[in-house]
Amino acid sequence: MYGKLYSACLYGIDGVLIEVETDLSNGLPQTSIIGLPDSAIREAVERVRAAVKNCGYQYPLQRITINLAPADLRKEGSSFDLAIAVALLMTSGQLVLPSQERTLLLGELALDGSVRSVPGVLAMVDLAKRQGFTSVLLPVDNLAEASLISGINVYGIGHLRDIAPDKPDSQTKDGVLSKTGTVVVNNFAHLMKPAAYEQGLSNTKTQIPASLSDDYSDVLGQHHVKRALMIAAAGMHNILLVGPPGTGKTMLIKRLPTILPPLSEEESLEVTKVLSAAGKLKETSNGLVTERPFRSPHHTISTSGLIGGSGIPKPGEVSLAHRGILFLDELPEFHRQVLEVLRQPLEDHTVTISRARAAFTFPAQFMLACSMNPCPCGYLSAQSEDQRCICSPSRVAAYRAKISGPLLDRIDLQVEVPPPGEWRNAAPSPTSAEMQAKVVHAHHIQAKRYASSSVRWNSQLSGRLLRRTARLPSEADHLLQQTLQALNLSMRAHDRIIKMAQTIADLDHDGEILTAHVAEAIQYRQLDLNLF
């Protein structure tokens, strides 16, 4: 006896269709799972056996072979449990699913037959839709996530018994479950979501994120730093704040999400898909993620934790920060090797991890925000007698050498944050809402300008498009060329100054880049200028 159903698993952040084939033959009762399963899948035999018996069905006392195809693809996770159990019941003649439905089954089984949630459902349901499936059976806890994909019927089940409207006989004799008749499921109407649930899901999808309590108006002074942060947000430029301890570097960057525009629907789906694949969607609301991610890993993080890794790689922090902000506090404290792996995603906006059998690509379009002290003791630029720097020039040079030139070259804005004495009795500060309005306006300008290309922000400009879009007047070009020669800047730094100048022009509502815009952009290359 032979049967086949369909399930899916994650491969990176994308879903992969898996055929669950079952064969029952004469021989000593045993169950074998083949097709490169991991230990979690091999252990599914015992979970499925207990769940089938505890739901009143009979586990076949035959030689059972379960094949997960394609056989050359390494598979991991517990999302195949439900498909394996139903395939066994169908092959042994105990259950018949609707013939008119092409169904994908996902879910982990408990020993009593309960169906537990699995990660990555969003990508798997999206795959099912693209592959022409009409319905998906999955854990009820994943129903809200799966319902974000329109155009396919998704049914949530909390128990293996929920599949069949008529429960099998569960009477026992001498501790052995009696044989049951075939249960025929004509349709999945009994699994339809109630209207109240649909209404609640609709409200969740369109909900407006709660306003954040942190606001830039709480930060006294530091107007030039706020200006730099607004420029970074307007063009999605990378930014580094350098200053003594206690000057508000971390506080300023943590308020950066309050001035970023909300995610578009397309961006929300991308971010939700990444979180779903990483198994972190349960930490958020049941609908699409509406707030831009803000990730702040500790400086002891490993390379695989930052970029992604494991046997079948999972998204790292750079992918979890997709469409949002990756904040690295105390940048020189991170291992140099860890920082160096940021160079490729900062340029390509994707992460590619190669393994023996395949290469995995994760999205990594994020704004890098960093902070650091000017020297090991932190008081190199402090003016107070009580906070005098005790670091030798060689020690300062070794401290800064932890950040390589190529990485620093990819950080557009390098801004000095002065010590507290320089911002006492400061003028009132603009609110986050006022700053956000300017940022949103600049984003609208860029969206209109780049409507016919794949570019979304000025920071993504490159090559011919940069030369055609960001044209410099002769005086501004002369100033930039002089700076390039005087500071021995790379061509990458040259292009990034032009991109910043274009963003400053957008913020100032100017259609053309002016000399003042280029001069301001140059002033944000503090480490190149050796001003501290």
Side-chain angles (χ1 to χ4, degrees):
M1 291 180 286
Y2 170 83
K4 180 172 70 173
L5 282 178
Y6 292 93
S7 187
C9 68
L10 280 178
Y11 209 58
I13 64 168
D14 298 316
V16 176
L17 188 65
I18 302 296
E19 296 181 2
V20 181
E21 300 177 300
T22 54
D23 178 78
L24 306 183
S25 59
N26 295 328
L28 292 175
Q30 66 175 17
T31 303
S32 301
I33 299 181
I34 58 177
L36 289 182
D38 71 344
S39 57
I41 298 175
R42 287 192 292 269
E43 292 171 353
V45 173
E46 301 306 323
R47 292 195 297 272
V48 170
R49 188 195 310 274
V52 166
K53 288 185 176 181
N54 290 329
C55 288
Y57 294 100
Q58 183 181 31
Y59 193 85
L61 297 178
Q62 295 174 276
R63 182 182 179 88
I64 303 172
T65 303
I66 301 168
N67 180 44
L68 305 178
D72 62 343
L73 179 70
R74 183 75 181 177
K75 305 164 191 74
E76 65 176 13
S78 56
S79 60
F80 303 108
D81 289 11
L82 183 61
I84 292 173
V86 174
L88 285 175
L89 295 177
M90 291 181 63
T91 307
S92 60
Q94 300 179 67
L95 183 66
V96 176
L97 291 185
S99 58
Q100 73 277 12
E101 298 272 0
R102 189 165 183 240
T103 307
L104 188 79
L105 294 95
L106 305 169
E108 175 187 333
L109 287 177
L111 299 185
D112 65 349
S114 300
V115 183
R116 292 172 173 157
S117 62
V118 293
V121 162
L122 192 67
M124 299 180 201
V125 176
D126 183 52
L127 168 73
K129 176 185 176 181
R130 289 186 280 107
Q131 293 288 336
F133 284 82
T134 57
S135 58
V136 180
L137 296 185
L138 43 71
V140 69
D141 290 341
N142 290 124
L143 186 57
E145 176 185 346
S147 298
L148 298 174
I149 304 297
S150 59
I152 187 171
N153 297 319
V154 290
Y155 303 100
I157 58 175
H159 203 280
L160 183 59
R161 296 194 194 99
D162 294 344
I163 296 178
D166 299 319
K167 306 301 186 295
D169 181 12
S170 60
Q171 295 180 355
T172 61
K173 181 179 180 181
D174 297 331
V176 179
L177 290 171
S178 62
K179 293 183 178 180
T180 63
T182 301
V183 178
V184 179
V185 181
N186 295 318
N187 54 62
F188 295 130
H190 60 290
L191 296 175
M192 292 296 290
K193 301 182 289 296
Y197 177 85
E198 290 282 9
Q199 181 63 35
L201 182 63
S202 176
N203 293 338
T204 303
K205 284 184 180 180
T206 58
Q207 67 181 354
I208 300 175
S211 59
L212 300 176
S213 58
D214 294 334
D215 195 283
Y216 274 118
S217 61
D218 302 331
V219 184
L220 300 177
Q222 306 290 31
H223 295 290
H224 75 290
V225 182
K226 294 173 188 176
R227 166 75 173 177
L229 289 165
M230 190 165 60
I231 294 171
M236 296 301 284
H237 299 285
N238 303 322
I239 185 169
L240 169 65
L241 301 186
V242 186
T247 55
K249 302 185 298 295
T250 301
M251 180 173 60
L252 284 160
I253 291 180
K254 285 189 174 180
R255 283 164 168 73
L256 193 53
T258 64
I259 65 174
L260 288 174
L263 291 168
S264 66
E265 186 173 351
E266 178 186 356
E267 292 173 332
S268 293
L269 190 58
E270 291 178 10
V271 173
T272 306
K273 186 176 178 180
V274 172
L275 291 176
S276 174
K280 297 184 180 294
L281 193 59
K282 58 189 176 183
E283 301 174 4
T284 66
S285 63
N286 290 328
L288 285 174
V289 176
T290 54
E291 297 180 4
R292 293 191 181 273
F294 183 89
R295 305 293 300 184
S296 181
H298 193 261
H299 64 262
T300 56
I301 191 172
S302 64
T303 301
S304 60
L306 188 64
I307 297 298
S310 80
I312 297 182
K314 300 295 183 183
E317 289 293 333
V318 296
S319 296
L320 295 175
H322 181 58
R323 301 296 183 191
I325 300 168
L326 177 65
F327 176 36
L328 302 184
D329 200 5
E330 301 298 338
L331 188 63
E333 299 302 326
F334 286 79
H335 295 291
R336 184 184 174 98
Q337 182 181 2
V338 173
L339 294 178
E340 288 304 297
V341 298
L342 285 172
R343 289 159 57 176
Q344 184 255 339
L346 285 174
E347 285 293 321
D348 301 337
H349 310 304
T350 59
V351 172
T352 301
I353 302 174
S354 298
R355 291 291 183 263
R357 293 184 177 272
F360 303 82
T361 300
F362 302 104
Q365 176 69 61
F366 61 92
M367 180 201 302
L368 178 64
C370 312
S371 69
M372 63 176 285
N373 295 325
C375 65
C377 75
Y379 298 108
L380 180 63
S381 57
Q383 304 298 324
S384 171
E385 291 291 334
D386 298 332
Q387 297 177 339
R388 183 178 299 175
C389 178
I390 59 173
C391 303
S392 64
S394 60
R395 192 179 176 200
V396 173
Y399 178 75
R400 294 187 180 181
K402 293 181 180 180
I403 308 171
S404 69
L407 177 61
L408 194 60
D409 213 24
R410 289 167 169 82
I411 300 178
D412 302 346
L413 293 95
Q414 305 154 9
V415 185
E416 181 183 11
V417 183
E422 298 184 13
W423 46 269
R424 290 172 181 165
N425 303 318
S429 179
T431 65
S432 290
E434 294 170 345
M435 297 171 67
Q436 186 187 46
K438 296 180 180 179
V439 169
V440 170
H441 180 74
H443 276 230
H444 287 328
I445 293 176
Q446 294 168 65
K448 184 177 180 180
R449 179 189 298 135
Y450 309 126
S452 60
S453 68
S454 60
V455 172
R456 305 173 71 99
W457 305 298
N458 291 329
S459 61
Q460 295 177 290
L461 286 173
S462 62
R464 187 178 303 172
L465 183 59
L466 174 63
R467 304 289 178 262
R468 185 174 70 247
T469 303
R471 296 174 180 265
L472 300 182
S474 58
E475 184 180 350
D477 184 64
H478 180 67
L479 173 63
L480 182 56
Q481 296 306 319
Q482 284 186 321
T483 304
L484 189 70
Q485 296 176 5
L487 301 180
N488 195 27
L489 296 180
S490 67
M491 286 305 299
R492 179 184 292 112
H494 171 271
D495 289 351
R496 289 182 180 273
I497 290 174
I498 297 177
K499 296 175 192 178
M500 279 193 290
Q502 182 64 70
T503 301
I504 296 169
D506 293 340
L507 277 174
D508 291 346
H509 307 288
D510 290 317
E512 301 287 339
I513 300 177
L514 304 179
T515 304
H517 300 149
V518 175
E520 183 178 357
I522 293 173
Q523 291 302 311
Y524 292 124
R525 304 290 299 189
Q526 297 283 299
L527 294 180
D528 293 330
L529 297 172
N530 294 318
L531 292 183
F532 53 86

